[in-house]
Structure formats: C-alpha cells, structure tokens
Amino acid sequence: MSAQKIIIAIDGFSSCGKSTLAQQLAAKLGYNYIDSGAMYRAITLYFLRNGIDYTDHNKVLTALADISLTFVFNEQTQHSDMYLNDEDVEPNIRDMIVSEKVSEVAAIREVRAFAVAQQKRMGRKKGIVMDGRDIGTAVFPDAELKIFMTADPEVRVMRRFKEMYAVNPHISIEDVSHNLELRDYIDSTREESPLHQAPDAILLDNSNLTREEQFDLVLEWVQERKPLTPKGEPSI
C-alpha cells in the first residue's frame, strides 16, 4: 500500500509560524509549498508602487488584470520566491509599509477572488501545503488536514519583532505590536472570508512548543489522514 497525496491547509493569526511549519512539511513530504500571504503582499506592493486607489472598484480590476504572480524555487535559500510580473519581489514584500497595508488590500472582494482562483488551480493535483487566513474555510474547504494556528499575543509580537529587526534595526516593539493588533482586527472582521477556525480544523497553540516539537506533532496528524492506495494503482 502507498499513501495518496493530500492537501494541508494551515490558517491562523500573524506571526504564529504558519509559513515555517508549512515549508517544513512540504520539504519532508515532497509537496509544493504555496505562501498565500506572499501573493497578497505582492498585490499590495503593486498597488503601492503604482498609486492604485484600492477603494475604487474599477481601478482595482484594471490593476489586477496587469498582475502576474508566480513562485520560483530559489536554489540558494531552498525556498520559493514570490515573483511579480517576472520580478523577484521576495525581499520587498516583507517591508513594514507592505505589512501595514496588506490586510486592507486582502480584504477587498476582487483581490480575494483573483488570488483564490489561482490558489484553487494550484491545488488541483493535491500534494500541496498552503498557509494563510482562509485556506481551510474558503480556498480548500475539503482539505484532508486543516490546522488553525495561534499563540499568546506577547509571544507573537516578540517573534515578529526579531524577524523585522533583522532587516530594520529602527523598528520598535510598539510598532510591531500595533501592526499585529490592527492586522488581527482587519483579518477577523472583514466581510470577505474573515479569519476563523474551520469546524473541522485542529487547533494548534504553539506558545510553548519548539519548532521541532510542533513539527513532530503535525507530522503525526498528516500520517493519520493520508489515505492508502493499493499497490498497482497510481497514487494522486
């Protein structure tokens, strides 16, 4: 018997380590990792660069028609980089100015429809790990494994501060705390696909877990949910 590939949907609040866990799982399982947050960040970057008034329905639709998003594997980092219109924008989309606006842009109905349509196409053949805010509720409601990640606010702020400080030594903990609070509010209260735990998602509070402990735990959940294919039949 061999195991079929599945879809693993990871949702949760900012700075809970969703991307880190998703990348670990993808590498271990030989799955494709799709960072949905990077897609929304790239769209936000495009809007900022081009002065797009994202409160204007027509201008948003026109801008989206000019946006092409792809993931390209980076041999040096061993991770996939986000490309916006054939430009590697991976470093740019992590800037604070993008972080401050991404939740607002991601809440726009047309933007979500644009991104979700691409994400659904990416998952047709399964064998993917995707993290975000609405993966298990809107993008892949039938995913075999859904995880909802959370952690104590203080833990999340410190994690995010360390990450941001590495690229911007002038950032303050207060700035990071305010940014996370704002993003949590927007993500949880937006009209279009708000952040919430799917009824069949497993809650993972990693406030007191190491990355290794978390990974081992989730890997057990994966193995429990991978259906078996009889020998001689192709696995998907």
Side-chain angles (χ1 to χ4, degrees):
M1 304 285 281
S2 61
Q4 291 182 339
K5 292 183 177 181
I6 64 173
I7 291 177
I8 303 172
I10 303 177
D11 294 306
F13 294 97
S14 300
S15 300
C16 285
K18 297 187 300 297
S19 296
T20 298
L21 174 60
Q23 290 174 26
Q24 285 180 311
L25 289 171
K28 176 67 175 181
L29 300 169
Y31 282 17
N32 291 320
Y33 165 60
I34 301 173
D35 182 354
S36 70
M39 298 173 71
Y40 289 110
R41 284 175 172 272
I43 295 170
T44 301
L45 179 65
Y46 182 90
F47 284 6
L48 290 171
R49 282 179 170 180
N50 293 277
I52 304 298
D53 179 2
Y54 49 82
T55 64
D56 187 312
H57 171 84
N58 292 325
K59 289 182 178 179
V60 167
L61 287 177
T62 299
L64 290 174
D66 292 329
I67 292 177
S68 172
L69 302 177
T70 54
F71 287 99
V72 178
F73 188 72
N74 186 323
E75 291 285 353
Q76 187 172 17
T77 64
Q78 293 295 296
H79 295 307
S80 293
D81 289 347
M82 182 80 257
Y83 276 65
L84 168 63
N85 295 337
D86 298 323
E87 176 194 354
D88 185 353
V89 294
E90 188 64 30
N92 309 86
I93 63 175
R94 309 299 171 180
D95 288 344
M96 179 58 81
I97 188 172
V98 174
S99 296
E100 290 175 344
K101 298 296 182 182
V102 64
S103 289
E104 294 178 43
V105 172
I108 300 170
R109 182 183 300 273
E110 293 81 8
V111 170
R112 297 207 74 81
F114 172 81
V116 168
Q118 295 193 46
Q119 292 159 8
K120 285 181 178 291
R121 283 196 294 271
M122 294 175 182
R124 284 176 182 168
K125 295 183 179 180
K126 298 200 174 186
I128 66 167
V129 186
M130 186 180 297
D131 70 292
R133 303 293 190 280
D134 63 348
I135 310 306
T137 54
V139 183
F140 297 120
D142 297 323
E144 289 83 356
L145 176 58
K146 301 178 188 178
I147 300 169
F148 189 89
M149 295 180 65
T150 187
D152 292 337
E154 296 81 2
V155 172
R156 294 169 53 217
V157 167
M158 187 54 63
R159 288 173 179 168
R160 182 62 174 164
F161 173 72
K162 290 179 179 178
E163 177 185 324
M164 295 296 297
Y165 186 82
V167 295
N168 180 11
H170 301 292
I171 196 74
S172 70
I173 292 181
E174 290 74 21
D175 288 338
V176 172
S177 179
H178 174 72
N179 176 248
L180 287 183
E181 288 177 6
L182 180 61
R183 291 182 65 185
D184 286 350
Y185 175 78
I186 295 174
D187 290 342
S188 301
T189 60
R190 68 190 181 207
E191 181 178 348
E192 190 69 18
S193 299
L195 169 66
H196 68 268
Q197 182 180 346
D200 54 345
I202 302 175
L203 181 65
L204 174 59
D205 186 332
N206 63 13
S207 302
N208 300 306
L209 293 176
T210 65
R211 289 185 178 182
E212 293 74 20
E213 291 170 337
Q214 173 179 265
F215 178 68
D216 290 341
L217 175 62
V218 174
L219 200 57
E220 291 180 8
W221 297 343
V222 172
Q223 299 304 329
E224 291 170 358
R225 284 161 177 77
K226 291 176 71 174
L228 296 177
T229 301
K231 288 184 178 179
E233 293 185 15
S235 60
I236 299 173

